[in-house]
Amino acid sequence: MTVSRELYQQIILDHNKNPRNYGRLEDPTRKIEGYNPLCGDHFTIFVKLKDNRITEITFEGAGCAISKASASVMSSAVKGKTVEEAEELFKKFHQLVRGELDPKESTETLGKLVAFSGVSEYPARVKCAILPWHTLHTALTSEEHRTTTE
Ligand code: ZN
């Protein structure tokens, strides 16, 4: 078992059991639903923006362990970040789960998100891991209220 796979399992288990920032947000600036029809993952993400910064982010919904853990880790990772910084992380995360980024090279920028490099070994799970990010991206860049991984 490689270190990254071990870390991957630990983080998925931990965040699945104790999801961070889980629940609804009062008066969100953006509220958007994300749906992954391939797996049935379905989340709503609530974002509060102030001066172009994500001051609050929560999510609720249901899905497989990977999508839920990904939403949880993402919410912790982008909280307090500017929209541009969050978008930059989204880009990096996308490359990571597609196996296009060396996790060793990116530990500093990605922190715990690096654990999801393990997903690149399971192509069917990539959409589960990316769903919360895709949803956040839509929330930050458009007026849509719903998005899917399709
Ligand atoms: Zn899933």
Side-chain angles (χ1 to χ4, degrees):
M1 190 177 263
T2 64
V3 171
S4 95
R5 189 175 292 185
E6 211 169 283
L7 181 68
Y8 167 70
Q9 286 178 346
Q10 268 177 24
I11 290 192
I12 304 271
L13 284 175
D14 172 32
H15 281 261
N16 198 42
K17 219 168 146 191
N18 304 300
R20 320 296 197 270
N21 307 303
Y22 191 84
R24 194 170 265 283
L25 203 62
E26 294 303 319
D27 309 318
T29 317
R30 300 277 164 80
K31 172 188 168 190
I32 184 156
E33 254 180 86
Y35 180 53
N36 172 17
L38 278 182
C39 179
D41 312 315
H42 191 182
F43 292 99
T44 302
I45 291 185
F46 303 84
V47 180
K48 207 171 264 187
L49 294 169
K50 200 185 169 201
D51 300 330
N52 202 40
R53 200 172 280 278
I54 301 168
T55 55
E56 295 278 356
I57 174 167
T58 66
F59 72 99
E60 64 174 19
C64 65
I66 291 170
S67 60
K68 195 172 175 187
S70 179
S72 173
V73 177
M74 177 191 79
S75 67
S76 308
V78 301
K79 199 172 178 173
K81 294 239 182 328
T82 64
V83 169
E84 288 73 26
E85 287 166 344
E87 286 288 291
E88 192 54 39
L89 266 187
F90 168 61
K91 242 185 266 166
K92 286 250 159 74
F93 187 79
H94 206 197
Q95 292 172 333
L96 181 78
V97 292
R98 286 163 165 264
E100 294 163 1
L101 202 67
D102 183 352
K104 280 189 229 82
E105 305 271 308
S106 341
T107 323
E108 236 170 79
T109 6
L110 289 170
K112 271 190 181 170
L113 297 170
V114 157
F116 288 88
S117 64
V119 173
S120 63
E121 289 172 42
Y122 312 93
R125 301 265 80 118
V126 168
K127 282 194 173 172
C128 301
I130 208 78
L131 175 69
W133 285 93
H134 194 81
T135 311
L136 175 68
H137 171 70
T138 309
L140 295 178
T141 56
S142 83
E143 298 292 320
E144 300 289 321
H145 296 291
R146 217 181 137 83
T147 188
T148 74
T149 50
E150 294 306 289

